[in-house]
Amino acid sequence: MESKLVIYNTLTRQKERFEPLHAPNVGMYVCGPTVYGDPHLGHARPAITFDVVFRYLKHLGYKVRYVRNITDVGHLEHDADEGEDKIAKKARLEQLEPMEIAQYYTNRYHQAMDALNVLRPSIEPHATGHIIEQQQLVQQILDNGFAYESNGSIYFDIEAYNKKYKYGILSGRSLENIKDASRELDGVGEKRNQADFALWKKAQPEHIMRWPSPWSDGFPGWHCECTAMGRKYLGEEFDIHGGGMDLVFPHHECEIAQAQASMGHPAVKYWMHNNMLTINGQKMGKSYNNFITLEQFFTGNHPLLKKAYSPMTIRFFVLSAHYRGTVDFSNEALEAAEKGLEKLMNAISDIERVQASAECDAETKNVVTGLRQKCYDAMNDDFATPQVISYLFEACTTINKLVDHKATICADCLKELKEVMQLFAFDILGLRSQESGDRSQEREKAFGKVMDMVLELRAKAKAEKDWATSDKIRDELAAAGFEIKDTKDGVTWKLNK
């Protein structure tokens, strides 16, 4: 199929036409969470970003195999190679098995993603379930001369690799710059070069998570899992690898080197990265004391939050900025997103109240007939979701005019308007109406009070024998979809859906 989709490739630093290796099949790998704590807003952005990519590619007719991993071993406390495993540390502190910790927070992650209406991936492999594949990867790199053993650990030899290939092509860093940055650690530890990274680590006696290998009882380096699992499920070459911008270096840079060193060729055609979420211009993180979990957003239980924000408000907030742009959190920004989402959902709901006319007025016809293509053009331009939302807002203005009888629309255009709003708001952007609980009850109660007031006015008109006003209220309510019945016990009403 001919693709009109253009995406920004982090590797080449330019927009490129999306041409899958084996269309209509598309392979996509996205780095998932390390499951040692509650999911936070930083987890939400890549999940939502690549959920939209997944949805849109499927909508275009591609058969997408979407792999998103779970990191449950090898992510160490201080850096990729040193310190205690984060999951093992949590297990030791809470006196639980590491897999209890991993399973608990994997479940928490799934619950949060479900609330955000993020589709489950095609495959969700765990690092601990692919130790053999990671050991095979390490052995291939050793056999090809790009790694060495040191005290039972295996390290990637960046100097040897850089002589044949180039290390740093994704991040734009040179090997000399990388070595300069690590010079203060020179001579420390068991590496030949402090820029080298671990492929396999020998476990210390106190280390809980360990597996037998030809080199030592130990565990894989953090970078190995994605290379090994991506190759297992998507083949030696696949289309898209995604993740947050913070993974460009060193994680994805090391993945590129591992693939090239083990296979002799690159694995990924398009690298995609979403930008960071910040609070007052500072990266969100536990070390900055500005860390907010998704559950805290949903409940409002955090000192930085003025109120609770629904999962769909969070999703709308994320999609209101381009995935490659920085998003700065503030209560004001979330409140604006909340109002924007409400405006969109109300307009989509109000379409059902619009009655078709014999023909459209010129302005309405222009908006409706151009809406679908403008939204497609925006999505085809590197998934420009803010532009799609702006076009949907333009349609909201038209819908409000139609509801207020300030515009007219024919049956064909009304059908098109409904389809396009549903398609882009719900199917592609992944938004949904989620009024429930107290908020829904409050709106229902307020709705009832308004109806009581209107019916009281009608009753007063009838009592005063003002039949014209009484009939007008009844007819207007009927036109809006309300069924009014006068009974011996009073007036009853219901909204026909």
Side-chain angles (χ1 to χ4, degrees):
M1 65 177 70
E2 183 181 353
S3 173
K4 295 182 179 179
L5 173 62
V6 174
I7 63 177
Y8 182 85
N9 190 345
T10 310
L11 184 63
T12 60
R13 295 170 180 77
Q14 62 185 11
K15 290 183 180 180
E16 299 177 9
R17 186 176 299 280
F18 180 64
E19 296 177 337
L21 293 165
H22 307 290
N25 298 306
V26 172
M28 181 169 78
Y29 191 102
V30 174
C31 289
T34 302
V35 284
Y36 71 100
D38 274 333
H40 53 79
L41 195 58
H43 289 123
R45 193 171 194 195
I48 292 169
T49 294
F50 292 101
D51 180 60
V52 169
V53 174
F54 184 35
R55 287 169 179 269
Y56 191 59
L57 290 176
K58 289 200 301 179
H59 171 71
L60 292 179
Y62 293 109
K63 184 179 180 182
V64 185
R65 177 176 289 174
Y66 175 19
V67 180
R68 186 183 67 207
N69 70 294
I70 295 290
T71 298
D72 53 3
V73 67
H75 204 165
L76 305 187
E77 186 179 4
H78 300 314
D79 60 34
D81 296 340
E82 301 297 333
E84 190 173 4
D85 187 287
K86 293 180 179 181
I87 292 171
K89 179 181 179 180
K90 190 89 169 180
R92 178 174 54 79
L93 293 174
E94 298 190 15
Q95 296 185 322
L96 297 170
E97 283 290 327
M99 288 302 98
E100 283 185 88
I101 295 294
Q103 188 62 59
Y104 176 78
Y105 287 111
T106 298
N107 293 344
R108 299 279 287 176
Y109 177 77
H110 286 156
Q111 289 163 6
M113 294 304 106
D114 290 346
L116 292 168
N117 202 26
V118 170
L119 301 175
R120 297 289 177 95
S122 314
I123 304 172
E124 192 174 57
H126 290 234
T128 54
H130 297 79
I131 300 298
I132 292 174
E133 288 83 357
Q134 292 177 77
Q135 290 179 351
Q136 290 171 339
L137 171 69
V138 174
Q139 189 62 58
Q140 286 176 324
I141 297 172
L142 271 169
D143 292 344
N144 291 340
F146 297 111
Y148 57 90
E149 182 177 353
S150 179
N151 298 324
S153 293
I154 308 297
Y155 291 97
F156 191 93
D157 191 336
I158 288 184
E159 289 271 17
Y161 177 83
N162 202 58
K163 287 177 182 178
K164 184 169 184 180
Y165 305 108
K166 185 178 185 304
Y167 184 79
I169 59 174
L170 186 66
S171 62
R173 304 184 188 203
S174 69
L175 181 58
E176 288 306 311
N177 289 338
I178 295 167
K179 289 166 67 176
D180 288 344
S182 61
R183 186 168 290 166
E184 62 188 53
L185 299 174
D186 194 30
V188 178
E190 56 194 17
K191 303 178 185 179
R192 293 177 184 172
N193 187 313
Q194 283 301 322
D196 295 347
F197 59 91
L199 298 172
W200 184 265
K201 288 285 287 183
K202 180 180 179 180
Q204 298 304 309
E206 68 276 8
H207 200 95
I208 304 172
M209 304 176 77
R210 59 175 66 216
W211 291 263
S213 80
W215 319 290
S216 64
D217 277 5
F219 54 93
W222 170 41
H223 308 305
C224 286
E225 62 182 274
C226 293
T227 304
M229 294 189 293
R231 183 166 67 181
K232 178 178 177 67
Y233 295 110
L234 298 174
E236 289 196 354
E237 294 178 282
F238 57 92
D239 298 295
I240 296 173
H241 195 316
M245 191 68 74
D246 56 330
L247 296 178
V248 169
F249 185 88
H251 186 48
H252 288 166
E253 197 73 79
C254 293
E255 279 194 61
I256 288 175
Q258 289 172 160
Q260 188 85 48
S262 62
M263 300 185 297
H265 60 79
V268 180
K269 186 173 183 181
Y270 303 97
W271 286 88
M272 293 181 66
H273 294 89
N274 62 275
N275 215 321
M276 297 295 97
L277 283 160
T278 59
I279 296 182
N280 298 322
Q282 189 176 49
K283 180 183 174 182
M284 181 180 292
K286 289 182 179 178
S287 58
Y288 299 113
N289 200 31
N290 63 2
F291 182 84
I292 308 177
T293 69
L294 288 171
E295 183 178 17
Q296 288 170 329
F297 275 103
F298 301 159
T299 62
N301 185 25
H302 191 282
L304 290 176
L305 298 173
K306 291 181 181 178
K307 54 184 283 190
Y309 298 97
S310 73
M312 282 305 100
T313 297
I314 300 298
R315 186 175 181 106
F316 190 83
F317 170 68
V318 169
L319 295 176
S320 295
H322 193 272
Y323 77 89
R324 287 192 288 111
T326 303
V327 174
D328 193 50
F329 156 82
S330 68
N331 282 280
E332 291 71 25
L334 280 173
E335 286 170 355
E338 187 175 58
K339 290 178 181 177
L341 176 64
E342 184 176 22
K343 174 183 176 181
L344 181 58
M345 292 298 107
N346 285 344
I348 292 174
S349 177
D350 285 345
I351 296 177
E352 302 303 322
R353 297 166 51 194
V354 174
Q355 299 294 315
S357 300
E359 59 183 26
C360 298
D361 63 80
E363 183 180 349
T364 298
K365 191 172 186 65
N366 183 56
V367 169
V368 174
T369 56
L371 181 60
R372 185 185 293 264
Q373 191 57 52
K374 288 199 296 185
C375 288
Y376 273 129
D377 290 344
M379 287 300 297
N380 286 335
D381 185 14
D382 195 28
F383 308 98
T385 57
Q387 195 64 50
V388 173
I389 290 171
S390 74
Y391 294 142
L392 296 182
F393 277 167
E394 289 176 12
C396 290
T397 301
T398 297
I399 292 167
N400 291 336
K401 289 181 180 178
L402 292 166
V403 170
D404 292 339
H405 305 292
K406 295 178 180 177
T408 57
I409 188 169
C410 67
D412 288 344
C413 284
L414 180 58
K415 181 174 179 287
E416 170 71 359
L417 182 59
K418 288 180 181 179
E419 287 181 358
V420 174
M421 296 296 282
Q422 291 273 339
L423 170 63
F424 283 94
F426 297 148
D427 298 345
I428 293 174
L429 297 185
L431 300 169
R432 66 184 175 199
S433 178
Q434 59 168 34
E435 275 203 349
S436 60
D438 294 340
R439 180 72 184 273
S440 178
Q441 292 173 9
E442 288 172 7
R443 287 179 69 92
E444 188 173 333
K445 197 178 294 183
F447 192 75
K449 286 182 179 179
V450 171
M451 280 300 298
D452 288 343
M453 182 180 68
V454 172
L455 293 175
E456 187 177 326
L457 290 173
R458 179 171 176 264
K460 183 179 178 183
K462 287 179 69 177
E464 295 173 352
K465 300 188 182 204
D466 183 358
W467 309 118
T469 299
S470 172
D471 291 342
K472 180 176 174 56
I473 292 173
R474 181 198 63 208
D475 294 340
E476 289 289 344
L477 287 173
F482 292 90
E483 184 178 327
I484 310 299
K485 287 186 178 180
D486 293 301
T487 71
K488 62 180 182 180
D489 297 318
V491 181
T492 64
W493 64 273
K494 68 176 181 178
L495 178 60
N496 294 318
K497 295 183 180 181

